[in-house]
Amino acid sequence: QVQLVESGGGLVQAGGSLILSCAASGRTFASYTMGWFRQAAGKEREFVATISGSGYSAYYADFVRGRFTISRDNAKNTVYLQMNNLKLEDTGVYFCAADEAEGTRRWGQGTQVTVSS
């Protein structure tokens, strides 16, 4: 059973940068498509970015394209989200997710990102 632990969240000023990390357990990390989602207070969870197992393909939500970069280091069983030019509306809890081959999605506990003016 894969377990995911996010880290790197915190308080940052608008226009600043932050990098989130998601460490995964298990021996087959490279087989998982990985993704980041976020949820603002009072809102539904929304898709942010996803990356294929090899790291070759990545896709982004329109509202983060050009500002955020998803990457992975399979040797470290870790996926990252580099967030640049942060905006107030980027505030929320960011969740890491892993898609297993059989279609099960596993979630981390989330890490809070707060962007201040």
Side-chain angles (χ1 to χ4, degrees):
Q1 189 93 326
V2 65
Q3 293 181 313
L4 306 172
V5 180
E6 301 96 333
S7 62
L11 177 65
V12 64
Q13 289 188 326
S17 297
L18 202 62
I19 184 166
L20 306 182
S21 298
C22 174
S25 67
R27 299 179 176 88
T28 58
F29 177 74
S31 71
Y32 306 143
T33 295
M34 301 293 296
W36 289 96
F37 295 74
R38 71 187 187 188
Q39 187 168 14
K43 305 294 184 182
E44 295 297 314
R45 189 172 299 185
E46 63 183 352
F47 167 77
V48 175
T50 188
I51 188 167
S52 63
S54 67
Y56 184 78
S57 301
Y59 297 92
Y60 299 90
D62 288 345
F63 53 81
V64 303
R65 195 181 306 276
R67 298 189 298 122
F68 291 10
T69 302
I70 187 170
S71 62
R72 66 193 296 159
D73 186 340
N74 287 345
K76 297 180 178 179
N77 276 24
T78 303
V79 64
Y80 305 93
L81 185 68
Q82 176 69 55
M83 305 185 293
N84 297 324
N85 192 24
L86 283 160
K87 304 176 180 180
L88 293 178
E89 55 263 41
D90 293 321
T91 294
V93 178
Y94 283 69
F95 297 91
C96 179
D99 287 349
E100 298 177 347
E102 67 269 25
T104 301
R105 178 165 291 170
R106 307 295 184 184
W107 297 94
Q109 82 288 349
T111 185
Q112 176 71 41
V113 172
T114 303
V115 183
S116 64
S117 60

